[in-house]
């Protein structure tokens, strides 16, 4: 089981590196639209919040059924 987490950590590091490269390429592009970028980030964070709120609601509901 520990090997999975070691492998997963390496994959996450690799993904983070690729995301950073993509963000830098986008940011340094002459037609970079900061307003659109910030709105997209906020939209993504709203989606993450909805996921975590839903997950927490499921966790609480499951705890009450035990």
């Amino acid at each position: 089981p520990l090997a999975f987490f070691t492998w997963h950590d390496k994959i996450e590091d690799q993904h983070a590196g690729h995301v950073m490269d993509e963000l830098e390429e986008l940011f340094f592009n002459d037609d970079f639209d900061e307003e659109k970028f910030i709105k997209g980030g906020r939209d993504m964070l709203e989606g993450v919040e909805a996921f975590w709120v839903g997950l927490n609601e499921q966790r609480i509901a499951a705890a009450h059924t035990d």
Side-chain angles (χ1 to χ4, degrees):
L2 184 58
F4 168 78
F5 292 105
T6 303
W7 170 81
H8 187 266
D9 187 53
K10 288 179 184 178
I11 296 296
E12 287 295 319
D13 288 344
Q14 183 182 32
H15 179 253
H18 289 303
V19 168
M20 187 63 161
D21 291 343
E22 291 171 0
L23 288 172
E24 286 178 350
E25 182 180 335
L26 176 67
F27 182 78
F28 291 112
N29 193 325
D30 290 336
D31 63 347
F32 176 70
D33 185 342
E34 184 176 350
E35 189 173 319
K36 182 178 177 183
F37 179 80
I38 296 297
K39 182 182 179 330
R42 286 187 178 133
D43 290 347
M44 279 195 321
L45 287 174
E46 287 175 9
V48 170
E49 179 186 26
F51 168 78
W52 284 111
V53 167
L55 189 63
N56 192 46
E57 289 172 353
Q58 288 179 353
R59 179 189 64 82
I60 291 168
H64 285 72
T65 60
D66 292 337

